[in-house]
Amino acid sequence: MSYIEEVAQGRWYQPELVKGYSEDEIKQIEALYGICIQGEFKQFMRCMGRSSGGLLAEDSIMLYNFQPTIHMILYKSYNDELLYSSGYDFSYKNSFFFACLSETHLYFLKTTSDNPDRVYHHVEGSEDIRDTGQNFTEFLKGVVINFGDDTPQDLQYRYTGELLPQSTHIGAEYVDDYLNKQQAYINELIKIHPNRHYDITQIKGFSLSEISAFEHVYKIQITGQLKDFMHYMGRSSGGLLSDDFIFYNKMSLIEKVYYIDSVLENRWRDPDNYNQEDKYFIFMTYKRDNHFFLVTNRKDADMVHHYNSYDLIFAKTGKTFLEFIKEVIKYS
């Protein structure tokens, strides 16, 4: 019996739409959310983390309900509230919320505890936190029985969500070409400030699959010079650039998503009447987070823009991303 058959208990679902995550993708999700995926939760993620084929509805299982950015922002706010409600008991820090029933009843796993399969319950807006006495699979079975429907449903009402996009696999023949291009990119930057201390062995970029995940989370197309930068040194600059760059600071990615979203909620005076549908990505902060440097998904995606949070002024810098990076290195 497969895992989904065990959970379904004879209830209807669409087998061809059941999709899980690969091992590499599960590792990425662990890094994104700062959690440990193991035990029954890992079985679930492998089997039907992307889609249950309609077995579990979006109004019960949060994994299927929200787009990635929204899910991460809600997840961060739920965890903040949980820590506050628990009196800052940090054993709850690596919890993962996966279900919401009756709108305010939240269910989560303590992923790094001695019993990572155990489901806990928190009522939103209260200090009520309790052990349900159920393990993850047992809880899912209860959701299917009490909230499911054993008749075929139109899947437009059962959203097929994903925390990451489909993987992009890189062939072995790509590796040598990548390393040569990465070295040329680094050489172009270090000649700007040849006496700058850095450790070339620590310079690391993101894979194309990971960049796809960034695009998915931030809802922005990463192209041109920003993509080159992320691909060759987005994970670590080896000390060439400071942690003013949001790639390198100590926040987890989910904290960065939450942080960027809260900054971009502010309304700025836009001299060029940028379209509301434009998506922005903050890549650097300056002077105690009063100044932000960002790029957009517009046709001029290589151009860097500046936002002053004191004056609420948004303006062009007149520099491309690479020109901006070189200037930072030159004067730092």
Side-chain angles (χ1 to χ4, degrees), residues 35 55 62 94 97 99 103 127 133 141 179 184 194 200 202 224 226-227 242 267 277 291:
I35 58 174
L55 177 65
M62 294 165 59
N94 302 111
F97 289 90
E103 296 186 353
E127 296 182 0
K141 288 180 177 180
L179 292 175
I200 196 169
Q202 295 302 311
L226 175 62
K227 187 170 186 177
S242 73
R267 295 171 180 258
E277 294 181 359
H291 297 266

Side-chain angles (χ1 to χ4, degrees), residues 168-185:
T168 302
H169 296 288
I170 300 174
E173 70 280 359
Y174 172 81
V175 174
D176 287 341
D177 183 53
Y178 168 77
L179 292 175
N180 289 334
K181 288 180 177 178
Q182 182 192 42
Q183 187 63 60
Y185 188 85

Side-chain angles (χ1 to χ4, degrees), residues 15 55 57 70 101 163 220-221 236 238:
L55 177 65
I70 298 172
L101 304 178
L163 299 182
I220 186 172
Q221 287 183 310
S236 170

Side-chain angles (χ1 to χ4, degrees), residues 46-156:
R46 283 172 172 166
C47 175
M48 53 179 169
R50 290 186 187 276
S51 171
S52 69
L55 177 65
L56 296 162
E58 64 169 20
D59 57 0
S60 57
I61 303 300
M62 294 165 59
L63 295 171
Y64 305 134
N65 196 355
F66 302 107
Q67 294 298 325
T69 303
I70 298 172
H71 186 277
M72 294 181 83
I73 291 167
L74 281 174
Y75 168 85
K76 177 69 167 57
S77 64
Y78 286 154
N79 269 274
D80 287 349
E81 180 183 325
L82 181 63
L83 280 175
Y84 175 80
S85 300
S86 68
Y88 293 94
D89 178 349
F90 287 98
S91 69
Y92 289 99
K93 185 177 180 181
N94 302 111
S95 298
F96 185 83
F97 289 90
F98 66 90
C100 180
L101 304 178
S102 303
E103 296 186 353
T104 58
H105 291 260
L106 304 168
Y107 296 86
F108 64 94
L109 303 168
K110 297 174 71 172
T111 67
T112 56
S113 70
D114 292 335
N115 188 358
D117 290 331
R118 186 56 60 94
V119 175
Y120 294 84
H121 171 240
H122 172 55
V123 178
E124 189 177 1
S126 78
E127 296 182 0
D128 183 15
I129 303 171
R130 66 180 180 85
D131 183 341
T132 65
Q134 293 181 307
N135 281 355
F136 183 77
T137 303
E138 185 181 2
F139 178 87
L140 289 185
K141 288 180 177 180
V143 171
V144 170
I145 294 298
N146 296 312
F147 295 90
D149 189 342
D150 59 1
T151 59
Q153 299 291 319
D154 187 339
L155 283 184
Q156 68 174 315

